[in-house]
Amino acid sequence: IIMPPTTGTVQITDAAREKLKAWVQQGGVVIGLENAITWLNTARLGKFEMKKVEEKKDTPVARPYGNIEAYTGAQQTSGAIFEATVDLTHPLLYGYYNNAMPIFKSNNLFMEKTKNAYGNPIVFTPDPLLSGYVSKENYSRLKGSSVASVSVYGQGRIIGFTDNLCFRAFWFGTNKILMNAIFYGSLIDPASAR
């Protein structure tokens, strides 16, 4: 089951959620893209630790009211390209041959790397910006963050991606990762999961 990015919250009844959990527990694979991984965490299907926004303890800087839209808009990562390193031996990266990959990012979701030595197949580099704009705050959160992670639920797998790998059908470089998740997701060794 692929859970695409949503503009709101995922609407699912408690009964349907329990059926989904049972299906995954018996060996099903759920793939969550972008904010769908937040719902998977809330539903207790996945264990994806997201980076928190650090609260500033300084006195807020006074700004003109007329700049609200410009300032808040500048805090959105609305389409930039970042470099990630990939583990070419991981099933999600089957068929790839470069251990560096450009990733198109259009959100402010940043996942912590797992402590599992085998559990970080795609990670943003320490200096990842290739093209586009990102605020200083978001850039510091993005550096070294994980793009993909796998959780185990019973016999099943929950695969979470912080980005939409098939964004508007124009960013083809990461399409194959989604296909690999579909075809090989159930084969991912539980020892590599969160």
Side-chain angles (χ1 to χ4, degrees):
I1 295 175
I2 299 173
M3 298 185 74
T6 62
T7 54
T9 58
V10 176
Q11 300 296 320
I12 186 170
T13 65
D14 290 342
R17 181 173 46 238
E18 292 309 312
K19 284 182 182 180
L20 177 62
K21 284 182 175 181
W23 178 78
V24 173
Q25 201 161 31
Q26 295 172 6
V29 175
V30 173
I31 301 165
L33 303 173
E34 292 188 358
N35 58 354
I37 61 177
T38 304
W39 183 84
L40 290 167
N41 274 338
T42 304
R44 292 194 165 87
L45 273 167
K47 296 176 185 168
F48 306 107
E49 187 179 342
M50 306 309 285
K51 287 190 172 186
K52 310 279 189 285
V53 177
E54 291 182 24
E55 303 231 357
K56 294 182 180 179
K57 296 176 183 170
D58 301 337
T59 305
V61 176
R63 293 186 173 98
Y65 178 83
N67 292 349
I68 288 176
E69 192 173 323
Y71 178 77
T72 56
Q75 302 312 307
Q76 298 303 311
T77 307
S78 57
I81 302 167
F82 300 96
E83 183 179 46
T85 57
V86 300
D87 176 359
L88 296 174
T89 66
H90 196 281
L92 293 176
L93 281 302
Y94 177 77
Y96 286 91
Y97 51 88
N98 288 330
N99 45 354
M101 174 183 293
I103 304 281
F104 183 81
K105 186 159 194 62
S106 60
N107 63 48
N108 287 343
L109 293 171
F110 308 104
M111 190 177 349
E112 294 282 359
K113 290 191 323 189
T114 178
K115 292 175 178 59
N116 185 321
Y118 307 104
N120 297 297
I122 309 169
V123 175
F124 287 115
T125 64
D127 189 21
L129 183 62
L130 294 175
S131 179
Y133 168 81
V134 61
S135 70
K136 288 180 186 178
E137 296 87 357
N138 288 333
Y139 195 49
S140 66
R141 291 171 55 215
L142 179 117
K143 293 176 181 182
S145 66
S146 184
V147 176
S149 191
V150 180
S151 286
V152 173
Y153 191 82
Q155 297 299 311
R157 305 292 180 271
I158 309 295
I159 304 170
F161 297 102
T162 57
D163 302 287
N164 184 349
L165 303 174
C166 302
F167 182 74
R168 293 187 184 166
F170 87 91
W171 193 256
F172 296 120
T174 51
N175 282 352
K176 195 179 343 178
I177 298 171
L178 180 60
M179 295 307 294
N180 287 342
I182 293 167
F183 289 110
Y184 305 126
S186 62
L187 303 176
I188 296 173
D189 192 315
S192 71
R194 287 186 175 263

mmCIF file of all heavy atoms in Angstrom, residues 77-126:
data_model
loop_
_atom_site.group_PDB
_atom_site.id
_atom_site.type_symbol
_atom_site.label_atom_id
_atom_site.label_comp_id
_atom_site.label_asym_id
_atom_site.label_seq_id
_atom_site.Cartn_x
_atom_site.Cartn_y
_atom_site.Cartn_z
ATOM 1 N N THR A 77 10.648 25.140 2.335
ATOM 2 C CA THR A 77 11.504 24.545 1.315
ATOM 3 C C THR A 77 10.557 24.094 0.213
ATOM 4 O O THR A 77 9.903 23.067 0.327
ATOM 5 C CB THR A 77 12.309 23.357 1.879
ATOM 6 O OG1 THR A 77 12.987 23.797 3.052
ATOM 7 C CG2 THR A 77 13.304 22.831 0.866
ATOM 8 N N SER A 78 10.435 24.905 -0.808
ATOM 9 C CA SER A 78 9.377 24.665 -1.796
ATOM 10 C C SER A 78 9.881 24.132 -3.125
ATOM 11 O O SER A 78 9.171 24.166 -4.109
ATOM 12 C CB SER A 78 8.595 25.957 -2.019
ATOM 13 O OG SER A 78 9.462 26.978 -2.436
ATOM 14 N N GLY A 79 11.079 23.605 -3.166
ATOM 15 C CA GLY A 79 11.584 22.998 -4.389
ATOM 16 C C GLY A 79 13.044 23.295 -4.600
ATOM 17 O O GLY A 79 13.403 24.249 -5.277
ATOM 18 N N ALA A 80 13.896 22.506 -3.984
ATOM 19 C CA ALA A 80 15.340 22.662 -4.129
ATOM 20 C C ALA A 80 15.938 21.274 -4.316
ATOM 21 O O ALA A 80 15.295 20.262 -4.028
ATOM 22 C CB ALA A 80 15.936 23.351 -2.907
ATOM 23 N N ILE A 81 17.159 21.236 -4.796
ATOM 24 C CA ILE A 81 17.825 19.963 -5.074
ATOM 25 C C ILE A 81 19.010 19.821 -4.124
ATOM 26 O O ILE A 81 19.837 20.729 -3.994
ATOM 27 C CB ILE A 81 18.291 19.907 -6.543
ATOM 28 C CG1 ILE A 81 17.088 20.107 -7.470
ATOM 29 C CG2 ILE A 81 18.978 18.577 -6.834
ATOM 30 C CD1 ILE A 81 17.469 20.380 -8.912
ATOM 31 N N PHE A 82 19.073 18.658 -3.472
ATOM 32 C CA PHE A 82 20.104 18.392 -2.476
ATOM 33 C C PHE A 82 20.806 17.074 -2.784
ATOM 34 O O PHE A 82 20.202 16.148 -3.318
ATOM 35 C CB PHE A 82 19.481 18.327 -1.071
ATOM 36 C CG PHE A 82 18.794 19.592 -0.676
ATOM 37 C CD1 PHE A 82 17.432 19.737 -0.842
ATOM 38 C CD2 PHE A 82 19.516 20.649 -0.150
ATOM 39 C CE1 PHE A 82 16.788 20.911 -0.492
ATOM 40 C CE2 PHE A 82 18.889 21.831 0.206
ATOM 41 C CZ PHE A 82 17.520 21.962 0.037
ATOM 42 N N GLU A 83 22.067 16.997 -2.391
ATOM 43 C CA GLU A 83 22.849 15.780 -2.630
ATOM 44 C C GLU A 83 22.744 14.840 -1.437
ATOM 45 O O GLU A 83 22.827 15.259 -0.283
ATOM 46 C CB GLU A 83 24.316 16.139 -2.861
ATOM 47 C CG GLU A 83 25.169 14.925 -3.176
ATOM 48 C CD GLU A 83 26.614 15.297 -3.419
ATOM 49 O OE1 GLU A 83 27.182 16.088 -2.626
ATOM 50 O OE2 GLU A 83 27.179 14.800 -4.404
ATOM 51 N N ALA A 84 22.566 13.564 -1.752
ATOM 52 C CA ALA A 84 22.525 12.531 -0.727
ATOM 53 C C ALA A 84 23.508 11.427 -1.082
ATOM 54 O O ALA A 84 23.809 11.206 -2.259
ATOM 55 C CB ALA A 84 21.117 11.950 -0.625
ATOM 56 N N THR A 85 24.019 10.760 -0.067
ATOM 57 C CA THR A 85 24.824 9.563 -0.297
ATOM 58 C C THR A 85 23.900 8.364 -0.125
ATOM 59 O O THR A 85 22.967 8.399 0.680
ATOM 60 C CB THR A 85 26.004 9.459 0.687
ATOM 61 O OG1 THR A 85 25.491 9.478 2.025
ATOM 62 C CG2 THR A 85 26.985 10.593 0.492
ATOM 63 N N VAL A 86 24.151 7.326 -0.907
ATOM 64 C CA VAL A 86 23.284 6.155 -0.880
ATOM 65 C C VAL A 86 24.105 4.891 -0.652
ATOM 66 O O VAL A 86 25.266 4.805 -1.042
ATOM 67 C CB VAL A 86 22.450 6.038 -2.173
ATOM 68 C CG1 VAL A 86 21.567 7.252 -2.362
ATOM 69 C CG2 VAL A 86 23.320 5.833 -3.391
ATOM 70 N N ASP A 87 23.471 3.918 -0.027
ATOM 71 C CA ASP A 87 24.067 2.603 0.186
ATOM 72 C C ASP A 87 23.628 1.720 -0.974
ATOM 73 O O ASP A 87 22.494 1.230 -1.004
ATOM 74 C CB ASP A 87 23.599 2.033 1.523
ATOM 75 C CG ASP A 87 24.088 0.623 1.780
ATOM 76 O OD1 ASP A 87 24.784 0.037 0.909
ATOM 77 O OD2 ASP A 87 23.758 0.079 2.849
ATOM 78 N N LEU A 88 24.505 1.521 -1.937
ATOM 79 C CA LEU A 88 24.164 0.781 -3.147
ATOM 80 C C LEU A 88 23.866 -0.693 -2.886
ATOM 81 O O LEU A 88 23.325 -1.370 -3.760
ATOM 82 C CB LEU A 88 25.293 0.913 -4.174
ATOM 83 C CG LEU A 88 25.537 2.336 -4.684
ATOM 84 C CD1 LEU A 88 26.764 2.384 -5.573
ATOM 85 C CD2 LEU A 88 24.312 2.855 -5.421
ATOM 86 N N THR A 89 24.181 -1.195 -1.697
ATOM 87 C CA THR A 89 23.904 -2.598 -1.381
ATOM 88 C C THR A 89 22.501 -2.791 -0.791
ATOM 89 O O THR A 89 22.054 -3.914 -0.627
ATOM 90 C CB THR A 89 24.947 -3.156 -0.392
ATOM 91 O OG1 THR A 89 24.812 -2.485 0.873
ATOM 92 C CG2 THR A 89 26.360 -2.983 -0.928
ATOM 93 N N HIS A 90 21.816 -1.712 -0.474
ATOM 94 C CA HIS A 90 20.480 -1.797 0.137
ATOM 95 C C HIS A 90 19.438 -2.109 -0.949
ATOM 96 O O HIS A 90 19.534 -1.586 -2.060
ATOM 97 C CB HIS A 90 20.147 -0.464 0.818
ATOM 98 C CG HIS A 90 19.015 -0.559 1.779
ATOM 99 N ND1 HIS A 90 17.705 -0.582 1.366
ATOM 100 C CD2 HIS A 90 19.003 -0.655 3.133
ATOM 101 C CE1 HIS A 90 16.920 -0.675 2.430
ATOM 102 N NE2 HIS A 90 17.688 -0.718 3.512
ATOM 103 N N PRO A 91 18.436 -2.941 -0.639
ATOM 104 C CA PRO A 91 17.414 -3.273 -1.635
ATOM 105 C C PRO A 91 16.699 -2.055 -2.236
ATOM 106 O O PRO A 91 16.277 -2.102 -3.392
ATOM 107 C CB PRO A 91 16.423 -4.154 -0.863
ATOM 108 C CG PRO A 91 17.236 -4.760 0.227
ATOM 109 C CD PRO A 91 18.260 -3.718 0.599
ATOM 110 N N LEU A 92 16.572 -0.971 -1.484
ATOM 111 C CA LEU A 92 15.921 0.220 -2.035
ATOM 112 C C LEU A 92 16.735 0.861 -3.160
ATOM 113 O O LEU A 92 16.206 1.624 -3.956
ATOM 114 C CB LEU A 92 15.665 1.258 -0.933
ATOM 115 C CG LEU A 92 14.642 0.886 0.127
ATOM 116 C CD1 LEU A 92 14.570 1.964 1.194
ATOM 117 C CD2 LEU A 92 13.275 0.646 -0.495
ATOM 118 N N LEU A 93 18.024 0.566 -3.216
ATOM 119 C CA LEU A 93 18.905 1.184 -4.212
ATOM 120 C C LEU A 93 19.342 0.206 -5.294
ATOM 121 O O LEU A 93 20.286 0.474 -6.041
ATOM 122 C CB LEU A 93 20.142 1.784 -3.529
ATOM 123 C CG LEU A 93 19.946 3.133 -2.842
ATOM 124 C CD1 LEU A 93 19.447 4.185 -3.784
ATOM 125 C CD2 LEU A 93 19.138 3.086 -1.593
ATOM 126 N N TYR A 94 18.632 -0.915 -5.416
ATOM 127 C CA TYR A 94 18.974 -1.899 -6.447
ATOM 128 C C TYR A 94 18.955 -1.231 -7.829
ATOM 129 O O TYR A 94 18.016 -0.509 -8.165
ATOM 130 C CB TYR A 94 17.988 -3.071 -6.422
ATOM 131 C CG TYR A 94 18.247 -4.077 -7.507
ATOM 132 C CD1 TYR A 94 19.292 -4.990 -7.389
ATOM 133 C CD2 TYR A 94 17.478 -4.100 -8.660
ATOM 134 C CE1 TYR A 94 19.555 -5.903 -8.386
ATOM 135 C CE2 TYR A 94 17.735 -5.004 -9.672
ATOM 136 C CZ TYR A 94 18.777 -5.899 -9.531
ATOM 137 O OH TYR A 94 19.037 -6.794 -10.527
ATOM 138 N N GLY A 95 19.989 -1.454 -8.607
ATOM 139 C CA GLY A 95 20.057 -0.916 -9.962
ATOM 140 C C GLY A 95 20.734 0.437 -10.072
ATOM 141 O O GLY A 95 20.979 0.912 -11.173
ATOM 142 N N TYR A 96 21.038 1.069 -8.963
ATOM 143 C CA TYR A 96 21.767 2.339 -8.992
ATOM 144 C C TYR A 96 23.261 2.059 -8.982
ATOM 145 O O TYR A 96 23.702 1.014 -8.472
ATOM 146 C CB TYR A 96 21.392 3.226 -7.797
ATOM 147 C CG TYR A 96 20.025 3.851 -7.935
ATOM 148 C CD1 TYR A 96 18.895 3.216 -7.425
ATOM 149 C CD2 TYR A 96 19.860 5.069 -8.580
ATOM 150 C CE1 TYR A 96 17.632 3.789 -7.554
ATOM 151 C CE2 TYR A 96 18.609 5.641 -8.715
ATOM 152 C CZ TYR A 96 17.498 4.992 -8.202
ATOM 153 O OH TYR A 96 16.255 5.556 -8.334
ATOM 154 N N TYR A 97 24.052 2.957 -9.517
ATOM 155 C CA TYR A 97 25.489 2.722 -9.603
ATOM 156 C C TYR A 97 26.334 3.887 -9.096
ATOM 157 O O TYR A 97 27.541 3.753 -8.987
ATOM 158 C CB TYR A 97 25.892 2.375 -11.034
ATOM 159 C CG TYR A 97 25.387 3.354 -12.058
ATOM 160 C CD1 TYR A 97 26.124 4.483 -12.391
ATOM 161 C CD2 TYR A 97 24.157 3.165 -12.667
ATOM 162 C CE1 TYR A 97 25.650 5.398 -13.315
ATOM 163 C CE2 TYR A 97 23.667 4.071 -13.595
ATOM 164 C CZ TYR A 97 24.424 5.180 -13.911
ATOM 165 O OH TYR A 97 23.930 6.081 -14.810
ATOM 166 N N ASN A 98 25.748 5.008 -8.769
ATOM 167 C CA ASN A 98 26.486 6.132 -8.166
ATOM 168 C C ASN A 98 26.132 6.211 -6.695
ATOM 169 O O ASN A 98 24.951 6.133 -6.346
ATOM 170 C CB ASN A 98 26.124 7.463 -8.826
ATOM 171 C CG ASN A 98 26.701 7.595 -10.210
ATOM 172 O OD1 ASN A 98 27.756 7.048 -10.500
ATOM 173 N ND2 ASN A 98 26.010 8.305 -11.075
ATOM 174 N N ASN A 99 27.131 6.410 -5.833
ATOM 175 C CA ASN A 99 26.789 6.515 -4.412
ATOM 176 C C ASN A 99 26.481 7.947 -3.980
ATOM 177 O O ASN A 99 26.349 8.216 -2.806
ATOM 178 C CB ASN A 99 27.851 5.878 -3.515
ATOM 179 C CG ASN A 99 29.246 6.241 -3.899
ATOM 180 O OD1 ASN A 99 29.458 6.884 -4.914
ATOM 181 N ND2 ASN A 99 30.207 5.828 -3.117
ATOM 182 N N ALA A 100 26.306 8.843 -4.936
ATOM 183 C CA ALA A 100 25.787 10.188 -4.667
ATOM 184 C C ALA A 100 24.578 10.390 -5.572
ATOM 185 O O ALA A 100 24.577 9.959 -6.723
ATOM 186 C CB ALA A 100 26.841 11.241 -4.946
ATOM 187 N N MET A 101 23.546 11.021 -5.029
ATOM 188 C CA MET A 101 22.305 11.166 -5.780
ATOM 189 C C MET A 101 21.663 12.516 -5.475
ATOM 190 O O MET A 101 21.564 12.903 -4.316
ATOM 191 C CB MET A 101 21.343 10.048 -5.379
ATOM 192 C CG MET A 101 19.959 10.162 -5.978
ATOM 193 S SD MET A 101 18.869 8.858 -5.374
ATOM 194 C CE MET A 101 19.639 7.440 -6.110
ATOM 195 N N PRO A 102 21.192 13.235 -6.507
ATOM 196 C CA PRO A 102 20.431 14.456 -6.244
ATOM 197 C C PRO A 102 18.987 14.099 -5.870
ATOM 198 O O PRO A 102 18.361 13.250 -6.501
ATOM 199 C CB PRO A 102 20.491 15.211 -7.575
ATOM 200 C CG PRO A 102 20.741 14.169 -8.599
ATOM 201 C CD PRO A 102 21.459 13.040 -7.929
ATOM 202 N N ILE A 103 18.488 14.733 -4.821
ATOM 203 C CA ILE A 103 17.123 14.504 -4.338
ATOM 204 C C ILE A 103 16.365 15.823 -4.423
ATOM 205 O O ILE A 103 16.844 16.852 -3.947
ATOM 206 C CB ILE A 103 17.106 14.020 -2.872
ATOM 207 C CG1 ILE A 103 17.955 12.759 -2.684
ATOM 208 C CG2 ILE A 103 15.685 13.841 -2.356
ATOM 209 C CD1 ILE A 103 17.329 11.472 -3.110
ATOM 210 N N PHE A 104 15.164 15.778 -5.018
ATOM 211 C CA PHE A 104 14.313 16.963 -5.086
ATOM 212 C C PHE A 104 13.492 17.021 -3.809
ATOM 213 O O PHE A 104 12.810 16.059 -3.454
ATOM 214 C CB PHE A 104 13.392 16.874 -6.304
ATOM 215 C CG PHE A 104 12.537 18.088 -6.485
ATOM 216 C CD1 PHE A 104 13.050 19.222 -7.092
ATOM 217 C CD2 PHE A 104 11.221 18.114 -6.051
ATOM 218 C CE1 PHE A 104 12.268 20.358 -7.254
ATOM 219 C CE2 PHE A 104 10.438 19.235 -6.207
ATOM 220 C CZ PHE A 104 10.962 20.364 -6.813
ATOM 221 N N LYS A 105 13.562 18.149 -3.103
ATOM 222 C CA LYS A 105 12.862 18.299 -1.817
ATOM 223 C C LYS A 105 11.938 19.494 -1.877
ATOM 224 O O LYS A 105 12.344 20.583 -2.255
ATOM 225 C CB LYS A 105 13.878 18.471 -0.689
ATOM 226 C CG LYS A 105 13.248 18.490 0.684
ATOM 227 C CD LYS A 105 14.270 18.161 1.730
ATOM 228 C CE LYS A 105 13.644 17.831 3.060
ATOM 229 N NZ LYS A 105 12.785 16.673 3.048
ATOM 230 N N SER A 106 10.682 19.279 -1.486
ATOM 231 C CA SER A 106 9.701 20.362 -1.500
ATOM 232 C C SER A 106 8.908 20.408 -0.196
ATOM 233 O O SER A 106 7.703 20.640 -0.204
ATOM 234 C CB SER A 106 8.759 20.200 -2.703
ATOM 235 O OG SER A 106 8.077 18.967 -2.613
ATOM 236 N N ASN A 107 9.589 20.153 0.926
ATOM 237 C CA ASN A 107 8.912 20.206 2.223
ATOM 238 C C ASN A 107 9.935 20.449 3.325
ATOM 239 O O ASN A 107 11.132 20.506 3.060
ATOM 240 C CB ASN A 107 8.139 18.902 2.475
ATOM 241 C CG ASN A 107 9.056 17.698 2.557
ATOM 242 O OD1 ASN A 107 10.058 17.696 3.247
ATOM 243 N ND2 ASN A 107 8.722 16.650 1.825
ATOM 244 N N ASN A 108 9.443 20.576 4.533
ATOM 245 C CA ASN A 108 10.310 20.779 5.692
ATOM 246 C C ASN A 108 10.291 19.570 6.623
ATOM 247 O O ASN A 108 10.289 19.709 7.837
ATOM 248 C CB ASN A 108 9.896 22.035 6.474
ATOM 249 C CG ASN A 108 10.272 23.302 5.754
ATOM 250 O OD1 ASN A 108 11.096 23.297 4.846
ATOM 251 N ND2 ASN A 108 9.659 24.398 6.143
ATOM 252 N N LEU A 109 10.280 18.377 6.054
ATOM 253 C CA LEU A 109 10.342 17.150 6.839
ATOM 254 C C LEU A 109 11.789 16.670 6.864
ATOM 255 O O LEU A 109 12.382 16.422 5.809
ATOM 256 C CB LEU A 109 9.456 16.062 6.233
ATOM 257 C CG LEU A 109 7.963 16.319 6.274
ATOM 258 C CD1 LEU A 109 7.222 15.272 5.458
ATOM 259 C CD2 LEU A 109 7.469 16.313 7.709
ATOM 260 N N PHE A 110 12.330 16.515 8.065
ATOM 261 C CA PHE A 110 13.716 16.098 8.220
ATOM 262 C C PHE A 110 13.751 14.960 9.228
ATOM 263 O O PHE A 110 13.370 15.134 10.379
ATOM 264 C CB PHE A 110 14.589 17.260 8.689
ATOM 265 C CG PHE A 110 14.424 18.486 7.829
ATOM 266 C CD1 PHE A 110 13.680 19.574 8.281
ATOM 267 C CD2 PHE A 110 14.971 18.544 6.559
ATOM 268 C CE1 PHE A 110 13.513 20.706 7.498
ATOM 269 C CE2 PHE A 110 14.805 19.666 5.755
ATOM 270 C CZ PHE A 110 14.071 20.744 6.219
ATOM 271 N N MET A 111 14.207 13.788 8.788
ATOM 272 C CA MET A 111 14.206 12.595 9.625
ATOM 273 C C MET A 111 15.588 12.375 10.246
ATOM 274 O O MET A 111 16.604 12.499 9.572
ATOM 275 C CB MET A 111 13.826 11.375 8.778
ATOM 276 C CG MET A 111 13.559 10.142 9.590
ATOM 277 S SD MET A 111 13.014 8.646 8.678
ATOM 278 C CE MET A 111 12.638 9.156 7.059
ATOM 279 N N GLU A 112 15.571 12.051 11.528
ATOM 280 C CA GLU A 112 16.814 11.693 12.214
ATOM 281 C C GLU A 112 17.343 10.389 11.625
ATOM 282 O O GLU A 112 16.572 9.512 11.253
ATOM 283 C CB GLU A 112 16.573 11.481 13.717
ATOM 284 C CG GLU A 112 16.166 12.719 14.463
ATOM 285 C CD GLU A 112 17.329 13.659 14.771
ATOM 286 O OE1 GLU A 112 18.484 13.341 14.409
ATOM 287 O OE2 GLU A 112 17.065 14.706 15.363
ATOM 288 N N LYS A 113 18.656 10.272 11.560
ATOM 289 C CA LYS A 113 19.235 8.998 11.149
ATOM 290 C C LYS A 113 18.995 7.987 12.265
ATOM 291 O O LYS A 113 19.010 8.335 13.443
ATOM 292 C CB LYS A 113 20.741 9.138 10.892
ATOM 293 C CG LYS A 113 21.050 9.932 9.662
ATOM 294 C CD LYS A 113 22.499 9.875 9.216
ATOM 295 C CE LYS A 113 23.517 9.857 10.294
ATOM 296 N NZ LYS A 113 24.894 10.009 9.801
ATOM 297 N N THR A 114 18.785 6.738 11.874
ATOM 298 C CA THR A 114 18.623 5.689 12.866
ATOM 299 C C THR A 114 19.991 5.299 13.424
ATOM 300 O O THR A 114 21.013 5.475 12.761
ATOM 301 C CB THR A 114 17.916 4.459 12.256
ATOM 302 O OG1 THR A 114 17.818 3.441 13.238
ATOM 303 C CG2 THR A 114 18.660 3.920 11.062
ATOM 304 N N LYS A 115 20.000 4.787 14.617
ATOM 305 C CA LYS A 115 21.242 4.344 15.230
ATOM 306 C C LYS A 115 21.683 2.989 14.679
ATOM 307 O O LYS A 115 22.798 2.547 14.923
ATOM 308 C CB LYS A 115 21.085 4.296 16.747
ATOM 309 C CG LYS A 115 20.934 5.680 17.352
ATOM 310 C CD LYS A 115 20.658 5.614 18.838
ATOM 311 C CE LYS A 115 20.554 6.980 19.470
ATOM 312 N NZ LYS A 115 19.538 7.849 18.940
ATOM 313 N N ASN A 116 20.804 2.328 13.939
ATOM 314 C CA ASN A 116 21.130 1.046 13.322
ATOM 315 C C ASN A 116 22.168 1.255 12.216
ATOM 316 O O ASN A 116 21.962 2.063 11.313
ATOM 317 C CB ASN A 116 19.851 0.427 12.748
ATOM 318 C CG ASN A 116 20.062 -0.956 12.202
ATOM 319 O OD1 ASN A 116 21.075 -1.263 11.588
ATOM 320 N ND2 ASN A 116 19.074 -1.804 12.408
ATOM 321 N N ALA A 117 23.259 0.535 12.269
ATOM 322 C CA ALA A 117 24.358 0.707 11.311
ATOM 323 C C ALA A 117 23.938 0.430 9.869
ATOM 324 O O ALA A 117 24.562 0.918 8.931
ATOM 325 C CB ALA A 117 25.523 -0.206 11.691
ATOM 326 N N TYR A 118 22.874 -0.359 9.666
ATOM 327 C CA TYR A 118 22.426 -0.728 8.320
ATOM 328 C C TYR A 118 21.152 0.004 7.912
ATOM 329 O O TYR A 118 20.598 -0.268 6.857
ATOM 330 C CB TYR A 118 22.152 -2.237 8.260
ATOM 331 C CG TYR A 118 23.306 -3.066 8.745
ATOM 332 C CD1 TYR A 118 23.277 -3.667 9.999
ATOM 333 C CD2 TYR A 118 24.442 -3.230 7.962
ATOM 334 C CE1 TYR A 118 24.340 -4.422 10.452
ATOM 335 C CE2 TYR A 118 25.512 -3.977 8.410
ATOM 336 C CZ TYR A 118 25.451 -4.574 9.653
ATOM 337 O OH TYR A 118 26.507 -5.310 10.094
ATOM 338 N N GLY A 119 20.675 0.903 8.742
ATOM 339 C CA GLY A 119 19.345 1.470 8.562
ATOM 340 C C GLY A 119 19.246 2.841 7.929
ATOM 341 O O GLY A 119 18.199 3.467 8.021
ATOM 342 N N ASN A 120 20.304 3.332 7.294
ATOM 343 C CA ASN A 120 20.267 4.659 6.680
ATOM 344 C C ASN A 120 20.680 4.567 5.209
ATOM 345 O O ASN A 120 21.773 4.983 4.840
ATOM 346 C CB ASN A 120 21.188 5.619 7.439
ATOM 347 C CG ASN A 120 20.732 5.829 8.863
ATOM 348 O OD1 ASN A 120 19.652 6.350 9.097
ATOM 349 N ND2 ASN A 120 21.535 5.403 9.817
ATOM 350 N N PRO A 121 19.807 4.039 4.356
ATOM 351 C CA PRO A 121 20.188 3.825 2.962
ATOM 352 C C PRO A 121 20.387 5.105 2.150
ATOM 353 O O PRO A 121 21.145 5.110 1.188
ATOM 354 C CB PRO A 121 19.051 2.988 2.396
ATOM 355 C CG PRO A 121 17.887 3.280 3.269
ATOM 356 C CD PRO A 121 18.457 3.555 4.626
ATOM 357 N N ILE A 122 19.710 6.192 2.543
ATOM 358 C CA ILE A 122 19.821 7.460 1.812
ATOM 359 C C ILE A 122 19.932 8.578 2.842
ATOM 360 O O ILE A 122 19.012 8.797 3.629
ATOM 361 C CB ILE A 122 18.599 7.705 0.907
ATOM 362 C CG1 ILE A 122 18.322 6.496 0.020
ATOM 363 C CG2 ILE A 122 18.805 8.961 0.059
ATOM 364 C CD1 ILE A 122 16.984 6.554 -0.716
ATOM 365 N N VAL A 123 21.058 9.305 2.821
ATOM 366 C CA VAL A 123 21.310 10.348 3.816
ATOM 367 C C VAL A 123 21.847 11.584 3.104
ATOM 368 O O VAL A 123 22.731 11.490 2.247
ATOM 369 C CB VAL A 123 22.341 9.865 4.864
ATOM 370 C CG1 VAL A 123 22.696 10.975 5.839
ATOM 371 C CG2 VAL A 123 21.820 8.647 5.609
ATOM 372 N N PHE A 124 21.317 12.750 3.461
ATOM 373 C CA PHE A 124 21.829 13.994 2.900
ATOM 374 C C PHE A 124 23.264 14.217 3.367
ATOM 375 O O PHE A 124 23.595 13.940 4.522
ATOM 376 C CB PHE A 124 20.951 15.184 3.294
ATOM 377 C CG PHE A 124 19.633 15.212 2.577
ATOM 378 C CD1 PHE A 124 18.438 15.064 3.270
ATOM 379 C CD2 PHE A 124 19.572 15.379 1.202
ATOM 380 C CE1 PHE A 124 17.224 15.085 2.613
ATOM 381 C CE2 PHE A 124 18.363 15.393 0.528
ATOM 382 C CZ PHE A 124 17.187 15.251 1.235
ATOM 383 N N THR A 125 24.098 14.739 2.477
ATOM 384 C CA THR A 125 25.507 14.977 2.787
ATOM 385 C C THR A 125 25.647 16.159 3.767
ATOM 386 O O THR A 125 24.680 16.884 4.005
ATOM 387 C CB THR A 125 26.295 15.292 1.497
ATOM 388 O OG1 THR A 125 25.802 16.515 0.948
ATOM 389 C CG2 THR A 125 26.188 14.168 0.488
ATOM 390 N N PRO A 126 26.852 16.381 4.297
ATOM 391 C CA PRO A 126 27.065 17.512 5.206
ATOM 392 C C PRO A 126 26.938 18.881 4.529
ATOM 393 O O PRO A 126 26.706 19.878 5.197
ATOM 394 C CB PRO A 126 28.494 17.304 5.717
ATOM 395 C CG PRO A 126 28.773 15.860 5.507
ATOM 396 C CD PRO A 126 27.992 15.462 4.291
#
